[in-house]
Amino acid sequence: MFDRPRILQSTDRGGFELRHCSSIDVNPRRRRREGPRHGGSVADASISEREAGLHRRLTQGQAVMISLGGAIGTSLFLSSGIALGYAGPAVLVSYAIAGFIAVAMVFSLSEMAVVHPTAGSFGTYAELYLNPWAGFVIRYTYWFAQVIATGFEAVAAGIYMTYWFPDAPVWLWSLGFAAVVVTVNAQAVNHFGRTEYWLAVIKVSAIVLFVVLGLAHILGLGSKATGVSNLYALPGGFAPHGLHGIWMGVILGLLSFVGVEVVAVTSGESPNPEKTIPAALRSMAVRLFLFYVLALFVIAAIFPWTQLAGSVAITQSPFVKVLSLTGVPRAAGIMNFVIVSAALSGMNTNVYLCSRMLFSLSRGRYAPTIFGRLSRAGAPVIAVIFSGVCILAATLLARFTPKAYAYLQGVALFGAIVVWALIFVSHFRFRRTHAASALKVRMPLFPALQIAALALLAALLVTMGLDPDWNVSWIVGIPWLCALTIGYFVWKWARGRP
């Protein structure tokens, strides 16, 4: 297409010579006017080069299972009762709406990930197609949100272990699990991929078994059929709390799906992202339906939703109830093992995401350069360790100041929706500079699906701001964005950037 620009560069002997350069635009005004180009973007090449060095050792199977694990959290196993309390059996509609938003986001993200396979993923896309401020805000917000989420998982894993070891302190288990996942992430990425692969296999197998046994009980295979009357015959019918309850259930559904964006982050360490990303993408819609909507269908059909609303204890988990009802021995112990595995998987993936966001920020000079250093194994060890320390701090904060931790959770909740919204906006700009016919992975029904999903996200933000149970997300989220914006301009002034 175009010849690479050439610049005068000093030589070792003190002279100068003409050298090709792919990271400097000879006409920056033209680049600002025209924006990035597909295949020939100087900005694209610069971002890809600055985040180079990570080893591409994730296999296609590992990438697919990592994305599976990102879509399955402990909330599916323990928080189902809360969602049912909001919407009743109509929680199926709530999770279907949340799943629609997640699928639209992942399709949009995958288009960009195949073209730009970088560790910073959606953070670098926002920087490239929107502006540096957007890239700065989205990466720091996502990093902080994942640190908080991992702190939750660490505390949860420690609580679950008291099922077998009631006398052991929770903080000790939390510390031990955090040390394990930091150690795994500090090694070569294929070790992380292998560990996450098997943790995801445990979760997936447990959910498949749960759905099969539950459907057999509903249909009367081997026992008396329960049918599906609980979905519509209870007081209030299918939607006892009306449209408001369904809409509030969407919030919990969306929180359950946060983490599916890991598929884009793995593109920076996959040897062939053009095949890996589409493979993970093809299973996205199926797994969202199977692991959430179908599992919730089984729960709501077998048990009256009024008996499940608000249950959060391990022994009261709807999954434990189904396994016990179908005659599985030691159902509570089996499900507790699965939940511990789910917590470890969530921690493992979140540490991976945190370290790659910090690595990307460092390579872009938005964070100290030490976080961008790689070990011989190609892992950003310093970024991993620092993220692990922050996770432990979040864990301790949860232990000593629960109220303050609730406010931090507000940042995580608010930040997740802001990040997804910026992904959609970045994708709109991406499509303006890339011909659809040239894309190897293409989002169907563009831009109708993106516009609908973005409108739903905006409506959810407004709902949370008006609802007394969720307005903490605004109380803390808005100041967080303001603080990041001030920090960005202070950093920009200190670095002397134009």
Side-chain angles (χ1 to χ4, degrees):
M1 291 180 64
F2 300 98
D3 291 333
R4 289 183 178 179
R6 295 187 294 172
I7 62 170
L8 282 174
Q9 184 168 331
S10 61
T11 64
D12 295 337
R13 297 180 181 179
F16 293 86
E17 65 178 0
L18 280 171
R19 291 187 179 178
H20 289 286
C21 178
S22 62
S23 59
I24 297 179
D25 196 334
V26 293
N27 193 342
R29 291 184 179 179
R30 181 182 64 195
R31 183 168 68 85
R32 285 196 298 267
R33 182 172 64 251
E34 296 180 355
R37 293 177 178 268
H38 175 58
S41 169
V42 172
D44 173 23
S46 177
I47 289 177
S48 298
E49 289 171 5
R50 81 187 187 197
E51 295 191 9
L54 295 169
H55 294 182
R56 295 183 176 273
R57 294 180 178 176
L58 285 178
T59 66
Q60 179 172 317
Q62 289 174 345
V64 171
M65 293 305 294
I66 289 171
S67 62
L68 277 171
I72 306 170
T74 56
S75 60
L76 174 62
F77 298 103
L78 290 179
S79 301
S80 307
I82 300 175
L84 283 164
Y86 270 125
V91 71
L92 301 174
V93 178
S94 301
Y95 273 73
I97 295 173
F100 163 77
I101 300 174
V103 169
M105 187 277 299
V106 171
F107 266 103
S108 301
L109 192 54
S110 297
E111 276 193 14
M112 297 185 286
V114 171
V115 177
H116 310 294
T118 61
S121 58
F122 43 84
T124 56
Y125 310 153
E127 179 182 351
L128 179 61
Y129 291 100
L130 299 178
N131 52 63
W133 170 85
F136 180 91
V137 168
I138 194 173
R139 276 175 283 191
Y140 268 114
T141 298
Y142 193 78
W143 175 82
F144 192 55
Q146 291 300 326
V147 164
I148 297 170
T150 312
F152 275 121
E153 298 285 2
V155 173
I159 293 174
Y160 303 151
M161 291 303 295
T162 60
Y163 178 84
W164 294 299
F165 306 97
D167 297 329
V170 171
W171 67 267
L172 186 61
W173 285 111
S174 301
L175 179 64
F177 286 141
V180 169
V181 296
V182 167
T183 302
V184 170
N185 278 271
Q187 301 179 43
V189 70
N190 56 311
H191 293 293
F192 159 78
R194 190 179 303 115
T195 302
E196 187 59 28
Y197 177 91
W198 289 110
L199 288 174
V201 165
I202 294 174
K203 293 190 292 186
V204 170
S205 301
I207 295 174
V208 171
L209 177 63
F210 169 81
V211 170
V212 170
L213 292 176
L215 290 176
H217 197 76
I218 292 172
L219 298 174
L221 303 179
S223 63
K224 183 180 179 180
T226 60
V228 294
S229 60
N230 286 332
L231 295 177
Y232 58 85
L234 296 175
F238 178 70
H241 301 303
L243 294 178
H244 178 265
I246 294 175
W247 184 241
M248 297 305 296
V250 175
I251 297 177
L252 285 172
L254 194 68
L255 287 175
S256 299
F257 294 140
V258 171
V260 295
E261 57 279 342
V262 68
V263 64
V265 181
T266 60
S267 67
E269 293 171 87
S270 299
N272 193 354
E274 294 180 356
K275 292 184 178 180
T276 301
I277 301 303
L281 183 64
R282 283 191 295 268
S283 62
M284 175 62 69
V286 175
R287 68 173 175 262
L288 289 179
F289 172 77
L290 176 63
F291 297 155
Y292 284 93
V293 177
L294 197 53
L296 288 173
F297 168 81
V298 169
I299 293 171
I302 292 180
F303 296 105
W305 67 269
T306 52
Q307 297 181 14
L308 295 172
S311 61
V312 294
I314 293 173
T315 56
Q316 296 299 316
S317 168
F319 282 75
V320 174
K321 286 179 175 290
V322 171
L323 292 180
S324 300
L325 192 62
T326 54
V328 176
R330 301 185 181 275
I334 293 174
M335 189 50 59
N336 193 66
F337 171 76
V338 173
I339 295 172
V340 170
S341 301
L344 283 174
S345 174
M347 291 176 63
N348 198 36
T349 301
N350 288 344
V351 170
Y352 173 81
L353 290 168
C354 288
S355 62
R356 269 51 180 183
M357 287 296 110
L358 207 54
F359 167 81
S360 177
L361 285 164
S362 175
R363 289 296 181 91
R365 298 199 306 165
Y366 301 110
T369 56
I370 192 172
F371 296 136
R373 296 179 183 176
L374 297 173
S375 66
R376 292 183 179 181
V381 176
I382 304 300
V384 170
I385 294 174
F386 180 79
S387 297
V389 170
C390 292
I391 289 167
L392 291 177
T395 303
L396 293 175
L397 190 62
R399 176 178 174 83
F400 295 110
T401 55
K403 186 176 181 179
Y405 199 64
Y407 278 85
L408 289 179
Q409 185 185 17
V411 177
L413 173 61
F414 188 89
I417 295 181
V418 169
V419 167
W420 281 27
L422 284 175
I423 289 174
F424 283 120
V425 176
S426 300
H427 186 239
F428 286 132
R429 294 294 300 273
F430 170 85
R431 273 299 192 97
R432 290 178 59 185
T433 57
H434 294 262
S437 59
L439 298 176
K440 297 182 178 180
V441 175
R442 191 184 312 174
M443 172 74 182
L445 301 178
F446 175 87
L449 293 186
Q450 283 88 346
I451 293 174
L454 190 58
L456 287 171
L457 287 177
L460 285 173
L461 274 180
V462 173
T463 300
M464 290 190 300
L466 298 176
D467 188 270
D469 293 332
W470 295 95
N471 62 5
V472 65
S473 60
W474 279 74
I475 293 173
V476 184
I478 295 297
W480 168 257
L481 290 181
C482 292
L484 277 183
T485 300
I486 294 172
Y488 169 76
F489 285 105
V490 169
W491 164 86
K492 184 177 179 180
W493 171 81
R495 300 290 299 185
R497 290 201 161 197

